[in-house]
Amino acid sequence: MPRASAADAAATAQRVLETATAHFSERGYSATSVDDIATAAGVTRGAVYHHYASKPGLFSAVAVAQQKSIAAAIVEATIGVEPQAALRVGSHAFLDAITQGASARVLLVEGPAVLSWTEWRQHDNDGPAAELRTGLAEAGVSPGLIDALATALSGAMNELALWLSEHPSDATAHNHAHAALDLLLSSVPGAETGKGPEPKPGTFL
């Protein structure tokens, strides 16, 4: 029997990743087994291990994919936006993206418990935090302050996102979270603040 093509292998890996994302976000890491994921994805347990080596390795891949998705949302939201305004717009895009779908539980609840602190921080630094540092630099923040300020803002925004994820479909909480984010950003030299971004269809603003 011929071996699977590279395209078939990539499709299988993606299907496993998407299935694992759904399971980890809905059930949590501890309540999800590799067998559960394999069965739901229509593959063997061996196939899961072939692509991701271990359950922690699979979770790490899920977390990386979620971080990349959030970073992409930040980039998309800030295309064509002036640098000073881009920091604000991108930060609001982060808050919306991380509190939708699987991201909140995978990254803010399960992630810190499953991954080492070093690995969790590295995933964040390679994704949304990298976009935040870029936004701070383009807003004219002193290079010597960028790392410290990015760390402070990132931690505050992650906590704000976790709080907001505990109030799903709450329009008041949504508005308060974005207002609080603007207050945080108002302390950043050169950043244009004042109000959150224009609401998109389906949001509560």
Side-chain angles (χ1 to χ4, degrees), residues 12-17 47-58 61:
T12 297
Q14 183 62 30
R15 187 164 70 253
V16 170
L17 186 69
V48 176
Y49 285 126
H50 171 73
H51 289 290
Y52 296 102
S54 65
K55 182 182 173 183
L58 176 55

Side-chain angles (χ1 to χ4, degrees), residues 73-100:
I74 295 170
V75 171
E76 182 179 0
T78 55
I79 292 174
V81 179
E82 291 297 320
Q84 284 72 25
L87 176 61
R88 176 179 60 82
V89 172
S91 295
H92 284 278
F94 164 83
L95 188 58
D96 280 336
I98 201 171
T99 52
Q100 294 174 5

Side-chain angles (χ1 to χ4, degrees), residues 5 18 27 33 39 43 54 74 87 105 117 121 151 154 156 159 173 201:
S5 68
E18 291 173 356
R27 305 180 184 181
S33 70
T39 298
V43 301
S54 65
I74 295 170
L87 176 61
R105 184 164 186 177
W117 177 242
R121 284 295 303 277
T151 298
S154 181
E159 286 293 331

Side-chain angles (χ1 to χ4, degrees), residues 21-54:
T21 300
H23 278 62
F24 289 143
S25 64
E26 293 168 7
R27 305 180 184 181
Y29 181 83
S30 297
T32 297
S33 70
V34 172
D35 285 334
D36 292 335
I37 294 169
T39 298
V43 301
T44 65
R45 178 186 177 93
V48 176
Y49 285 126
H50 171 73
H51 289 290
Y52 296 102
S54 65

Side-chain angles (χ1 to χ4, degrees), residues 152-180:
L153 288 173
S154 181
M157 286 193 286
N158 282 332
E159 286 293 331
L160 185 58
L162 183 57
W163 175 81
L164 185 54
S165 71
E166 295 169 352
H167 299 78
S169 303
D170 186 333
T172 300
H174 185 275
N175 289 339
H176 286 172
H178 282 275

